[in-house]
Amino acid sequence: MTLYHYTSLENLPLIVRKDGYLEFLLTDYMDFDDPSEGKKMWEVIRDVDKKWVEDIWERFVISFCIENDNLAMLKEYANNASGVVLAINSDYLDRGTLFQCRYDLSIVNHIKDRILRIKEDFKDRDKETDWRANTQERAYIKREMAKLLAIKDPHYNYEQEWRLRMSGRMENVVFQFKRGRLRQRYPLIVDIKALEKIYVGPNNSPSVIDEIKMYLRYTTIPKMDVEILKVPYRSR
């Protein structure tokens, strides 16, 4: 399956590295720019047990789309359609968990109910001494909590988003200042063979394609067959 990653032209040489690898920076799920992102998940955590805020695994994510010419995505994530869209072979995204987002908030209550039932099932177990019970309860709850990472508001259905979710070791986390805040990012290195094509946003000048070809000649992948195309600018 081919998935598409929208980004700015400035980010292209940061992602398509000169040494022949792709490098994506995954975002901490607790640190999205969109304040509504993950809101339902945090509501569940608050209602169920606040301690689980620190117990969600694989919370670093990167987003992809199933379309290469999504007008809204081009405007929002590709610098007002003057960026690029990278076609990525999902077979190379073999670390972490790749999943399709679900645009149905009604699922949230079902997950919350399942978490409460798990807690009820384990409430009479002495988890101070019965380590198996403690481990099982945590594993079951974490599994349900992870499902919440895939649920988005139906308002964003146009994104048709897929996500790669990964855990991150602190020694590998990198930090960036963005909009006055310190943000955590997690680097994901992928084989350059994952890159199938580069689509250039329709608001770019015609010379941009030549500039990208020139950049690729300076990398260690000059003979790689990367097709560079102009995105057709069409409305939905």
Side-chain angles (χ1 to χ4, degrees):
M1 175 174 62
T2 299
L3 295 174
Y4 301 95
H5 183 69
Y6 291 71
T7 190
S8 67
L9 187 61
E10 289 76 16
N11 281 340
L12 178 63
L14 301 178
I15 296 175
V16 183
R17 301 190 334 192
K18 288 180 63 178
D19 60 0
Y21 288 91
L22 302 178
E23 180 174 358
F24 297 102
L25 288 181
L26 281 64
T27 300
D28 187 335
Y29 199 83
M30 300 176 68
D31 205 20
F32 278 108
D33 290 329
D34 182 357
S36 67
E37 182 71 61
K39 183 178 179 182
K40 290 296 180 182
M41 183 181 70
W42 302 126
E43 289 177 358
V44 172
I45 291 173
R46 184 190 63 236
D47 294 342
V48 173
D49 194 334
K50 290 183 179 179
K51 74 175 183 178
W52 294 105
V53 172
E54 300 176 356
D55 211 24
I56 297 174
W57 81 94
E58 292 190 331
R59 73 184 198 192
F60 288 94
V61 298
I62 184 170
S63 298
F64 298 93
C65 182
I66 61 173
E67 301 172 320
N68 66 354
D69 59 352
N70 187 307
L71 177 59
M73 298 288 284
L74 281 165
K75 287 184 175 180
E76 188 170 356
Y77 297 105
N79 197 17
N80 195 28
S82 63
V84 294
V85 185
L86 306 180
I88 304 296
N89 185 332
S90 64
D91 289 344
Y92 289 87
L93 303 176
D94 54 359
R95 295 169 56 194
T97 304
L98 184 65
F99 60 93
Q100 187 174 13
C101 290
R102 302 180 66 180
Y103 300 89
D104 184 358
L105 294 181
S106 67
I107 303 173
V108 173
N109 289 329
H110 294 297
I111 294 176
K112 180 179 178 180
D113 290 342
R114 285 197 292 269
I115 293 173
L116 292 174
R117 285 199 298 271
I118 292 170
K119 291 176 69 67
E120 182 68 20
D121 291 341
F122 281 88
K123 74 174 184 177
D124 295 327
R125 304 278 290 272
D126 186 357
K127 291 186 284 295
E128 292 294 329
T129 58
D130 188 347
W131 65 268
R132 287 188 180 86
N134 186 51
T135 301
Q136 287 177 343
E137 182 189 30
R138 289 168 67 89
Y140 294 158
I141 291 180
K142 287 168 69 174
R143 181 184 62 192
E144 297 301 322
M145 286 292 187
K147 294 176 182 178
L148 291 169
L149 298 176
I151 299 172
K152 300 192 67 174
D153 192 297
H155 174 74
Y156 297 101
N157 186 57
Y158 67 89
E159 294 181 348
Q160 295 298 296
E161 183 178 354
W162 282 68
R163 284 179 171 171
L164 180 68
R165 185 180 74 229
M166 294 182 62
S167 58
R169 296 181 178 180
M170 280 307 298
E171 60 264 29
N172 295 327
V173 169
V174 298
F175 295 90
Q176 293 179 332
F177 274 104
K178 186 176 180 182
R179 298 178 182 175
R181 289 184 54 196
L182 186 62
R183 313 293 181 104
Q184 295 187 69
R185 299 288 187 264
Y186 191 75
L188 170 65
I189 310 300
V190 180
D191 193 308
I192 193 64
K193 294 177 182 177
L195 181 62
E196 297 179 341
K197 297 180 182 180
I198 299 175
Y199 293 90
V200 176
N203 283 347
N204 278 301
S205 65
S207 64
V208 167
I209 290 180
D210 293 331
E211 295 291 338
I212 294 175
K213 289 180 178 179
M214 181 181 296
Y215 170 70
L216 292 181
R217 286 199 295 270
Y218 283 104
T219 70
T220 59
I221 51 168
K223 296 181 180 180
M224 180 181 166
D225 185 21
V226 178
E227 191 173 2
I228 305 174
L229 305 170
K230 194 76 173 287
V231 175
Y233 203 25
R234 59 188 177 90
S235 60
R236 291 282 160 185

